[in-house]
Amino acid sequence: MAKKRGFGQILRLPSKRYRARYTGPDTQLHNAPSTFETREDAEAWLTDERRLIAAGTWAPPAHRTKTIEHRTFGDYATDWLTARPIKPRTRSHYAMLLDKLILPGFESSPLKTITPDQVRAWHTRLGDSTPTLRAHAYSLLRAILTDAVHDGIIPANPAHIRGAGNAKRVHKIKPASLAELGVLVGAMPDAKYQLMTLLAAWCGLRFGELTELRRSDIDAKNGVIHVRRGVVRTDGEVIVGTPKSAAGHRDVNIPPHLLPAVRDYLKANVNGRDGLLFPAADGVSHLAPSSLYRVFYPARKKAGRPDLRWHDLRHTGAVLAAATGASLAELMGRLGHSTPGAALRYQHAAQGRDAEIARRLSQLVEVN
């Protein structure tokens, strides 16, 4: 018996599967192209059909079924990427993965013909010389095929290689010690780069967050940085937008020992509420990574850390915060991470922390 609902009908068949149908804009009754194992799947199909009608892109399901029978992965992936609500830099990264790693293997393949064996063979051909890119490519392929399942184009996702979406970190991050950080800052050529280095390390800010900071984002009286925007460069274009994730929209307290340097710098170098803290040489444009690297590379060499990347300073900031006893939730808030897994990647046991714990344990005995 069909259950009464706001849009469409779901009928449980003698086979215990479910049939979904609805009356379309053409006043005709339309059945789903196949039955469903669960009521939830049938409801999801009706929801998708209703969205197509609302968007004005609806066509009878039977016509669409004929069209999608031979739809290639390349066509579907292109439409998938165009419709995806993602950040410009992520879109550029996905486009690169598709063009260089995924489409060469699947572009002309009809979606319905892609098998688990073909996916495994493709994954093997990628090799293991670039494990992170390989993992990203597999995750993207799987995500696209998952949506193809949801769209009713394929019955099941053929991409199910266990662990293929994860990659071991090739670059083992070694945070800078306080001594190394001191030499690094001192080797930077001027106040702009020195303060930028200090905020990257002690406040854990990303490069794109630092280079979009403006005078109005700094509460010098209370020692707080309001992180509200970030800048990225993709396909030769400079784009200012919201932080990487919702959690990136945050307030970061400046360690008190840095406040005098911050206040002095603001007075001497930043004009107006909208003035950039760390602009390019012209004073108004965003600082390019290449400009930073020209001074950072010689400085890290003087610090005895030619392996140190700029982003590793953010990692250093996480370790310094962890050494104070900050909880995982507190680290997530300070770094702007939305998941514990992201923050955990930055956690290390700070040198000397275990000795401090042992000392405090002894203090418990002394008190009693």
Side-chain angles (χ1 to χ4, degrees), residues 340-356:
L344 281 170
R345 289 200 299 267
Y346 288 91
Q347 282 192 312
H348 288 275
Q351 288 185 354
R353 181 64 182 164
D354 190 59
E356 174 65 9

Side-chain angles (χ1 to χ4, degrees), residues 178-207:
L178 290 179
E180 291 167 345
L181 183 58
V183 175
L184 180 69
V185 172
M188 286 297 200
D190 55 39
K192 177 175 77 174
Y193 291 113
Q194 289 171 357
L195 184 60
M196 195 174 172
T197 303
L198 288 169
L199 294 183
W202 288 98
C203 297
L205 300 188
R206 301 176 175 95
F207 175 79

Side-chain angles (χ1 to χ4, degrees), residues 63-358:
H63 294 179
R64 275 181 275 142
T65 300
K66 293 175 184 176
T67 302
I68 66 177
E69 279 295 328
H70 303 290
R71 193 172 189 193
T72 65
F73 176 87
D75 288 339
Y76 184 80
T78 299
D79 291 344
W80 183 94
L81 185 58
T82 300
R84 201 76 172 173
I86 51 180
K87 296 279 186 180
R89 194 167 183 176
T90 302
R91 186 178 304 281
S92 178
H93 181 57
Y94 283 0
M96 181 277 292
L97 292 174
L98 280 169
D99 291 343
K100 293 187 176 181
L101 301 179
I102 303 177
L103 292 181
F106 298 104
E107 182 170 18
S108 60
S109 300
L111 283 163
K112 285 181 172 290
T113 68
I114 298 175
T115 66
D117 284 343
Q118 288 176 323
V119 173
R120 280 190 291 270
W122 163 81
H123 187 257
T124 300
R125 287 196 303 272
L126 290 182
D128 55 8
S129 59
T130 54
T132 300
L133 278 179
R134 184 192 198 192
H136 287 181
Y138 174 81
S139 296
L140 179 57
L141 173 67
R142 180 169 174 78
I144 293 171
L145 292 174
T146 294
D147 279 358
V149 173
H150 292 161
D151 289 344
I153 300 175
I154 54 177
N157 193 330
H160 43 75
I161 304 173
R162 181 169 296 185
N166 301 318
K168 280 190 176 181
R169 187 185 293 274
V170 175
H171 174 81
K172 187 175 182 180
I173 298 174
K174 178 186 175 185
S177 67
L178 290 179
E180 291 167 345
L181 183 58
V183 175
L184 180 69
V185 172
M188 286 297 200
D190 55 39
K192 177 175 77 174
Y193 291 113
Q194 289 171 357
L195 184 60
M196 195 174 172
T197 303
L198 288 169
L199 294 183
W202 288 98
C203 297
L205 300 188
R206 301 176 175 95
F207 175 79
E209 294 169 343
L210 283 165
T211 53
E212 172 50 22
L213 281 180
R214 298 178 183 271
R215 178 61 185 86
S216 57
D217 296 319
I218 310 299
D219 181 349
K221 180 180 178 181
N222 296 303
V224 177
I225 299 173
H226 302 296
V227 182
R228 298 294 182 265
R229 300 168 311 283
V231 62
V232 297
R233 294 169 183 267
T234 178
D235 299 328
E237 185 179 0
V238 177
I239 301 173
V240 176
T242 54
K244 187 176 180 180
S245 66
H249 189 282
R250 66 199 188 280
D251 294 336
V252 180
N253 283 273
I254 304 169
H257 75 280
L258 295 184
L259 283 176
V262 171
R263 289 166 181 156
D264 289 345
Y265 180 83
L266 292 176
K267 289 178 184 177
N269 299 281
V270 184
N271 297 318
R273 286 181 54 79
D274 292 330
L276 289 169
L277 262 65
F278 309 114
D282 64 6
V284 293
S285 303
H286 289 95
L287 183 70
S290 57
S291 298
L292 171 68
Y293 297 153
R294 276 197 293 270
V295 296
F296 176 64
Y297 288 163
R300 72 179 185 180
K301 187 175 181 181
K302 288 183 180 179
R305 288 298 306 276
D307 61 307
L308 192 71
R309 302 175 305 174
W310 179 262
H311 195 70
D312 294 345
L313 294 177
R314 176 170 155 82
H315 179 102
T316 298
V319 175
L320 291 171
T324 69
S327 67
L328 179 58
E330 289 166 338
L331 285 177
M332 288 172 60
R334 187 166 180 82
L335 296 172
H337 281 146
S338 56
T339 63
L344 281 170
R345 289 200 299 267
Y346 288 91
Q347 282 192 312
H348 288 275
Q351 288 185 354
R353 181 64 182 164
D354 190 59
E356 174 65 9
I357 292 171

